[in-house]
Amino acid sequence: RYGVVMLSGTSEIVLINPAARRLLSLASESDLHGRPLAEVVRIPELNQATSAALAGDGTQKLHIEIPSGEVVRPVYARVDRFMAGGEYSLLMGLRDETDAQRVEEMRREFIANISHELKTPLAAIKGYAETVELAIKDDPDAAFHFMQQIHSQCLRLEKLIADMMQLARAQAGISQLKLGPVSLADVIEESLKSYHPVADAKQIQLIVPPCEDLPKVHADAEATLIIASNLIGNAIHYTPQGGVVRVHCRSAGKFVALVVEDNGVGIPKSEQKRIFERFYRVEKSRDTGVGGTGIGLSIVKNLTMTLGGEVRVSSKPGEGAKFEVLLPVSRDALNVR
């Protein structure tokens, strides 16, 4: 991953490793020993840096972009002069910045998204509060309505913060979890205690076949409950009144799959890879106008990966969605077998 190039005092290549060849888009089989760097690498900034380092201008650091096939690879380069055998030589280090740039882009996108998510309810609360001040004497009923809206927006902020904390925990790694045998049947039963009233209010039929005969999974009980609750909550949320949500388990070799299916609005194929991104919401098919925080499925994916599992989704617009979370079978169950 890290490229290394050693140059002589006349900028001829003495040594170059495979990573440097790849980063500089040089043929892996060509003999470069003894050839001038400027002849091999047509990057003016890099050649200027080597000249400056040889001239004694100190360590040269630069960011360059190098075409590689159909893409342009960002590369960080550092050139140092050192004394060897009574003469100066150069040591060039190269580092692929593609991942670093991607992380930085994700960080900027995350900050922009969280700022937007926080700004919207805060602006609403501010507006409602100002209206209440004006209406509290002349129109108590209107003031009461606006106080209810303030309360609703506060709950939205509270939910966003809670989801952010869950996501942080999910991304913190295995050290934050307490692993042991977990019954998916118990997890589903516990999760449905909260969602039965919601489903009843929308006249949604919850179908829950028994899965007591399946082995327990090796997981964290709270994390597994969060996974199940997010999937069941999403299914109910995106299923229209009178629809059906089915929650069940199945054996999958060394895994047990928690499966949540609905006959709701579905997810377009083009959107299915992005739904696990933070704050990402499908614009059309699953936009009901009463969206959540946009973090739920990201929490599901991060927790599942931390537990050594896998998340799968299949869906067609207008035909509902099916989510499967595969979690490893408990070690105790494997030992019994």
Side-chain angles (χ1 to χ4, degrees):
R1 184 170 182 174
Y2 293 95
V4 177
V5 183
M6 185 176 293
L7 302 172
S8 69
T10 54
S11 295
E12 295 174 341
I13 297 173
V14 177
L15 177 149
I16 181 169
N17 73 346
R21 287 176 178 265
R22 180 181 63 84
L23 292 174
L24 294 172
S25 295
L26 301 174
S28 58
E29 68 279 359
S30 60
D31 184 11
L32 302 177
H33 186 269
R35 295 181 62 182
L37 181 72
E39 178 186 302
V40 173
V41 180
R42 307 288 184 173
I43 304 174
E45 301 94 331
L46 195 60
N47 292 322
Q48 289 169 10
T50 58
S51 298
L54 273 176
D57 291 343
T59 298
Q60 303 294 305
K61 301 176 183 178
L62 65 157
H63 294 270
I64 53 179
E65 293 185 338
I66 303 176
S68 177
E70 297 181 355
V71 301
V72 176
R73 179 184 291 115
V75 174
Y76 169 77
R78 172 176 174 145
V79 185
D80 291 283
R81 187 178 74 163
F82 67 96
M83 180 69 73
E87 64 177 20
Y88 286 114
S89 298
L90 294 179
L91 182 64
M92 179 187 298
L94 302 166
R95 183 177 70 223
D96 190 341
E97 294 282 272
T98 303
D99 290 342
Q101 282 197 4
R102 186 181 299 116
V103 170
E104 177 62 19
E105 183 179 342
M106 290 173 62
R107 185 189 69 83
R108 287 196 299 265
E109 183 181 352
F110 173 74
I111 291 174
N113 284 331
I114 192 67
S115 298
H116 173 75
E117 294 292 333
L118 290 171
K119 182 179 179 180
T120 301
L122 285 173
I125 290 171
K126 183 175 182 290
Y128 288 134
E130 291 172 350
T131 306
V132 167
E133 289 180 354
L134 297 173
I136 195 164
K137 291 182 179 179
D138 299 331
D139 193 345
D141 290 338
F144 179 73
H145 167 74
F146 290 125
M147 288 299 295
Q148 288 181 316
Q149 295 302 313
I150 290 174
H151 182 253
S152 174
Q153 294 297 328
C154 286
L155 291 177
R156 180 179 172 184
L157 280 174
E158 188 177 60
K159 178 69 166 64
L160 175 62
I161 292 169
D163 280 355
M164 288 296 300
M165 292 178 67
Q166 283 189 355
L167 180 59
R169 181 170 181 260
Q171 294 178 329
I174 200 81
S175 62
Q176 301 297 313
L177 303 178
K178 297 179 180 178
L179 300 179
V182 175
S183 166
L184 285 182
D186 292 345
V187 168
I188 292 171
E189 181 181 359
E190 182 66 25
S191 180
L192 289 176
K193 288 179 182 178
S194 301
Y195 286 105
H196 264 302
V198 183
D200 291 342
K202 292 184 68 175
Q203 298 179 340
I204 289 175
Q205 182 183 4
L206 283 176
I207 300 176
V208 189
C211 57
E212 286 86 353
D213 294 337
L214 293 172
K216 293 182 178 181
V217 296
H218 183 65
D220 174 276
E222 183 181 349
T224 311
L225 180 60
I226 290 171
I227 291 170
S229 295
N230 273 297
L231 292 180
I232 294 171
N234 263 14
I236 293 173
H237 181 75
Y238 291 111
T239 299
Q241 187 167 346
V244 177
V245 172
R246 188 168 185 262
V247 185
H248 61 102
C249 305
R250 67 173 181 84
S251 178
K254 294 184 179 181
F255 296 85
V256 177
L258 168 65
V259 187
V260 180
E261 302 176 75
D262 65 68
N263 64 347
V265 295
I267 310 167
K269 184 74 174 179
S270 59
E271 307 282 354
Q272 290 177 21
K273 289 185 177 180
R274 298 202 62 192
I275 57 175
F276 296 101
E277 296 176 14
R278 294 170 297 188
F279 298 113
Y280 186 79
R281 298 186 184 93
V282 178
E283 294 297 330
K284 296 178 180 178
S285 65
R286 290 174 75 86
D287 185 3
T288 63
V290 194
T293 61
I295 306 177
L297 289 178
S298 181
I299 293 171
V300 168
K301 182 178 180 179
N302 279 275
L303 282 176
T304 301
M305 291 176 61
T306 300
L307 293 170
E310 179 185 350
V311 184
R312 299 174 182 174
V313 59
S314 57
S315 177
K316 291 182 179 179
E319 297 182 14
K322 176 181 178 181
F323 286 87
E324 292 185 281
V325 170
L326 279 68
L327 295 173
V329 172
S330 169
R331 295 165 184 172
D332 294 343
L334 288 174
N335 291 336
V336 169
R337 294 182 181 183

